[in-house]
Amino acid sequence: MRPRCIALLVGVASLLGAGSASADDLRPSGKLLLTGGVTTVEGSGGGGLSSWATITGYATRDGVGANVHATRVELPDYQFRAYGAAVGLFDRIELSYTRQDFNTQGTGAKLGLGRGFTFHQDVVGVKVKVLGDAVYDQDTWVPQVAVGAQYKNAAKAPIVAALGGQDDDGIDYYVSATKVLLAQSMVVSGAVRATKANQTGLLGFGGPGGEDDYSLQFEGSAGLLLSKRLLVGGEYRSKPNNLGLKEDDWWDLFAAYAVSKNLSVTAGYADLGTIATFKGQRGLYLSLQAGF
Amino acid sequence: MFTALIAAVALAAGAPETPNPQHPNEEAVDPYVPSDANAGAAPFAGDAMWRAFHGQPGVDRVVDGMVDRSLADPRIKEIFESHDMVRLRRTLKEQFCYILGGGCAYSGRDMKSVHKDLGVQRTDFNILVEHLQSAMEDEKISFRDQNRFLAKLAPMQRDAVER
């Protein structure tokens, strides 16, 4: 099922690519290397954990870009996978879909869920650039700013309810600001997210005693461009603790390498803290992105 | 106001067809008032960047490398083909020298005027930047210094791109 799903996404992406290449007015691959960003675990263009204001893909306002991605994080007690596709329209609107699998492996038995129990989540995202340009506007400190929303559906109502969560679906809203500081060869990005999500939604939304309200959380990235192909940096993402399960903030260190405008590889080390009472969930982060 | 006055005086005096008679190999352009402000960016302070680009010989190689690549690129060569490449190379070398702190005066027109009606898209602008990056790599200019220079050029996109 999973390989077939990825094959389908790749197929759709190549169809989109063929379509845009054959239309004279649509020009793919117009942006500079890496300035399209990579893909977050939630499917948005950005770093690995934090959404940027950039629109996914390499198209400028003259064209359409798209990406497929597959990401895995190997944790001591869990395995986290995400895969999906995103389209960038005229460097203005980004539409994305990502499927997350959070496999509890042997931990599932200890949690009473059963060995190999897997939390799933579908994330449908939309992002709109509202002002600025992260790359061109080097004569001002004004960043590129985008607003976005992510509809998340974990489709596990009984377990979410058992954990104390209110809902198994919800919507995150965010405002993101991203700037490429060319003179410093740096990329910085920060976003404020209104969310009810527990472990970004894998464990549902809201908590037991009135923690049903949105809270404002922060996510940010800072990276150094070492060459036009290589970006190294770190990320931080704060999270609410609605379920009282000592949910931790997330952070990572990453290196994103653009093999070409059609393929980039991101490797990193992610610390996802305590997840469902299991502490120290730190491990290797690996993500492949293919597109144009 | 002052520049407008100079322009008016120059026009009244019957400005020459070729504003740079010392460049007889170039085609005539409509009269304009030369100014360093036409270069479109403030120069770097000091001469560190000028030295990083290996002075005038280095800048000449970078400009020629960028223009040669652009003329050989089927995606953007049409933009250049109908233009005076002798003048383009000379004014680009002046512009780069001026911005990099090499002490040149820029005698060309402003970025909006020179790109008028060329129909340059952002994609074309970025392709040119990629050719510039390749030329700077060939000149063994460090990635950081390349980016410092590109930071000066990037805002010119606003005047260069028309659609």
Side-chain angles (χ1 to χ4, degrees):
Chain A
M1 181 64 192
R2 191 171 297 121
R4 210 170 64 196
C5 190
I6 290 175
L8 181 70
L9 293 172
V10 171
V12 168
S14 50
L15 276 175
L16 286 168
S20 63
S22 62
D24 285 345
D25 290 340
L26 293 180
R27 303 182 66 179
S29 300
K31 286 182 200 163
L32 300 178
L33 217 51
L34 277 177
T35 57
V38 291
T39 306
T40 71
V41 290
E42 287 161 322
S44 303
L49 301 179
S50 78
S51 292
W52 292 0
T54 50
I55 301 299
T56 197
Y58 280 108
T60 64
R61 67 184 182 197
D62 313 314
V64 175
N67 275 307
V68 293
H69 79 102
T71 302
R72 60 194 292 166
V73 190
E74 298 295 332
L75 302 169
D77 300 301
Y78 305 102
Q79 184 187 65
F80 187 20
R81 287 183 178 165
Y83 44 94
V87 180
L89 305 172
F90 309 105
D91 202 27
R92 174 66 64 183
I93 298 169
E94 175 186 291
L95 304 171
S96 61
Y97 166 74
T98 277
R99 171 84 164 172
Q100 294 179 344
D101 297 335
F102 194 80
N103 191 329
T104 61
Q105 302 177 291
T107 312
K110 297 175 196 166
L111 289 168
L113 297 167
R115 184 179 178 82
F117 179 88
T118 300
F119 290 94
H120 297 289
Q121 179 171 235
D122 293 309
V123 184
V124 177
V126 59
K127 186 201 293 178
V128 180
K129 178 170 101 173
V130 290
L131 66 88
D133 188 286
V135 181
Y136 296 128
D137 296 346
Q138 295 296 314
D139 52 350
T140 157
W141 285 95
V142 176
Q144 179 166 328
V145 177
V147 295
Q150 291 169 338
Y151 171 73
K152 301 172 170 182
N153 192 335
K156 284 278 193 299
I159 288 168
V160 166
L163 287 164
Q166 297 280 342
D167 299 299
D168 67 349
D169 67 343
I171 303 177
D172 285 0
Y173 302 94
Y174 63 90
V175 180
S176 181
T178 303
K179 188 84 180 173
V180 176
L181 302 170
L182 260 185
Q184 287 77 30
S185 294
M186 285 186 72
V187 182
V188 290
S189 185
V192 174
R193 177 183 296 263
T195 183
K196 299 180 185 182
N198 309 317
Q199 299 294 0
T200 75
L202 284 162
L203 301 185
F205 299 80
E211 296 93 339
D212 190 27
D213 292 335
Y214 277 100
S215 64
L216 289 181
Q217 304 294 331
F218 173 80
E219 60 204 54
S221 311
L224 192 60
L225 284 157
L226 295 181
S227 78
K228 66 181 183 185
R229 296 186 184 282
L230 182 62
L231 173 69
V232 297
E235 293 182 286
Y236 169 80
R237 176 165 178 167
S238 74
K239 298 181 18 272
N241 183 29
N242 298 327
L243 295 176
L245 293 174
K246 295 185 175 152
E247 182 167 339
D248 284 319
D249 297 345
W250 286 358
W251 64 265
D252 72 27
L253 297 171
F254 70 87
Y257 184 80
V259 179
S260 69
K261 279 188 177 173
N262 302 117
L263 183 67
S264 61
V265 182
T266 307
Y269 179 78
D271 184 345
L272 307 188
T274 299
I275 297 180
T277 73
F278 281 75
K279 294 177 184 170
Q281 300 305 314
R282 292 183 277 266
L284 186 69
Y285 174 106
L286 189 64
S287 182
L288 288 175
Q289 173 179 292
F292 56 89
Chain B
M1 182 65 187
F2 184 61
T3 49
L5 187 68
I6 292 179
V9 170
L11 284 170
E17 280 266 282
T18 308
N20 287 294
Q22 65 268 42
H23 303 292
N25 294 330
E26 296 179 11
E27 296 164 17
V29 296
D30 290 337
Y32 64 95
V33 181
S35 162
D36 284 342
N38 290 345
F44 286 101
D47 66 348
M49 286 296 285
W50 182 241
R51 284 187 284 110
F53 275 69
H54 311 135
Q56 195 64 58
V59 165
D60 290 352
R61 286 189 291 267
V62 167
V63 168
D64 287 331
M66 175 180 75
V67 173
D68 291 345
R69 282 175 171 82
S70 300
L71 289 172
D73 187 333
R75 296 172 299 174
I76 60 169
K77 65 176 184 183
E78 281 178 28
I79 297 170
F80 295 86
E81 272 172 352
S82 61
H83 288 79
D84 182 348
M85 287 300 109
V86 176
R87 179 179 167 85
L88 178 74
R89 288 176 199 265
R90 177 179 64 79
T91 50
L92 276 173
K93 287 168 186 174
E94 284 180 7
Q95 184 187 29
F96 282 23
C97 167
Y98 170 74
I99 294 171
L100 289 165
C104 302
Y106 176 64
S107 69
R109 289 168 292 172
D110 67 87
M111 292 302 102
K112 202 166 189 79
S113 302
V114 294
H115 293 92
K116 190 174 185 322
D117 299 329
L118 291 183
V120 173
Q121 291 185 309
R122 281 194 173 177
T123 301
D124 305 313
F125 186 87
N126 289 349
I127 291 168
L128 182 69
V129 172
E130 289 174 349
H131 291 324
L132 172 57
Q133 286 179 314
S134 299
M136 291 190 293
E137 275 169 35
D138 282 359
E139 187 61 27
K140 305 278 190 290
I141 293 160
S142 76
F143 182 65
R144 284 186 71 85
D145 287 335
Q146 290 182 30
N147 286 343
R148 290 184 71 197
F149 185 46
L150 290 178
K152 293 280 192 186
L153 306 185
M156 295 178 190
Q157 179 271 150
R158 289 193 286 263
D159 285 336
V161 171
E162 292 197 307
R163 60 185 180 115

